[in-house]
Amino acid sequence: MRRLLLALPIALLPLTVALAHDDHDHEHGSLGAHEHGVARLNAVLDGQTLELELQSPAMNLIGFEHAASSDADKAKVAAVRKQLEQPLSLFGLAKAAGCTETDRKLESPLFGDAPAKDDDGDDEHDHDHSEIHAHYQFTCTAPEKLAQLDLKPLFTAFPATQKIQLQLIGPSGQQGIEATAAKPSVKF
């Protein structure tokens, strides 16, 4: 399953290029760019297994990207981490699908993870533009009941997230969609 999730960006590369070309209003049109207000979500439903991988600038979720030094900043980081540790409250999954979380991994320099170094060995850029990566795996007892993914709870919890560029592989095939708070639901 992990191989399938890792193959998703390659499988949808033509769509990614098309979306980047259509995004003339933004300085960073590519899905790989760090753009405040924009998050990326990969979703794969394969049999009874659902995997979700969220990548977002820390600014969208926490409100800042610098290392937390004050007590208030540390409290904010801890609160956001606690929210991310409860994916069933962030991603609207049909209760009838019977999805339960089986695995979770959260990574960010703000959570105390070592930042990745740039190609030139300088990690200063990473401190200026911290990201949060969250990977979730669910087992669903009735995956056929999982008709859509509702991202409204995620937009509500993190209002600085204006849009989510979603790459999805499900029973209907693969698709690339942009979700917003006004249009937060995506069909599998």
Side-chain angles (χ1 to χ4, degrees), residues 54 56 58 61-62 77-91 101 103-108 111 131-136 138 154 157-158:
L54 177 69
S56 176
L61 307 181
I62 297 175
V77 170
V80 166
R81 184 175 184 126
K82 187 174 178 108
Q83 284 180 289
L84 292 171
E85 288 173 346
Q86 301 170 27
L88 289 173
S89 67
L90 295 175
F91 300 99
E101 182 183 356
D103 192 26
R104 169 188 347 119
K105 185 174 185 181
L106 302 175
E107 296 178 319
S108 175
F111 296 154
E131 290 210 352
I132 294 175
H133 297 240
H135 177 262
Y136 307 101
F138 304 88
L154 188 68
F158 304 111

Side-chain angles (χ1 to χ4, degrees), residues 43-73:
V44 177
L45 178 59
D46 183 23
Q48 291 188 312
T49 303
L50 172 64
E51 289 201 46
L52 300 175
E53 185 176 51
L54 177 69
Q55 298 177 320
S56 176
M59 182 65 76
N60 298 352
L61 307 181
I62 297 175
F64 59 84
E65 296 185 329
H66 59 273
S69 54
S70 72
D71 288 342
D73 284 356

Side-chain angles (χ1 to χ4, degrees), residues 20-44:
H21 269 279
D22 290 342
D23 196 12
H24 297 297
D25 296 335
H26 297 288
E27 170 182 332
H28 303 292
S30 135
L31 289 178
H34 179 97
E35 184 179 351
H36 294 175
V38 179
R40 295 177 308 279
L41 179 67
N42 295 324
V44 177

Side-chain angles (χ1 to χ4, degrees), residues 14 16 34 92 95 97 99 108 121 123 177:
T16 303
H34 179 97
K95 290 188 191 292
C99 297
S108 175
D123 65 355
I177 300 165

Side-chain angles (χ1 to χ4, degrees), residues 125-155:
H125 182 267
D126 294 311
H127 287 297
D128 292 342
H129 296 287
S130 295
E131 290 210 352
I132 294 175
H133 297 240
H135 177 262
Y136 307 101
Q137 185 172 351
F138 304 88
T139 297
C140 303
T141 57
E144 68 279 2
K145 306 262 187 197
L146 198 58
Q148 71 178 13
L149 175 62
D150 183 7
L151 300 174
K152 184 175 181 165
L154 188 68
F155 283 112

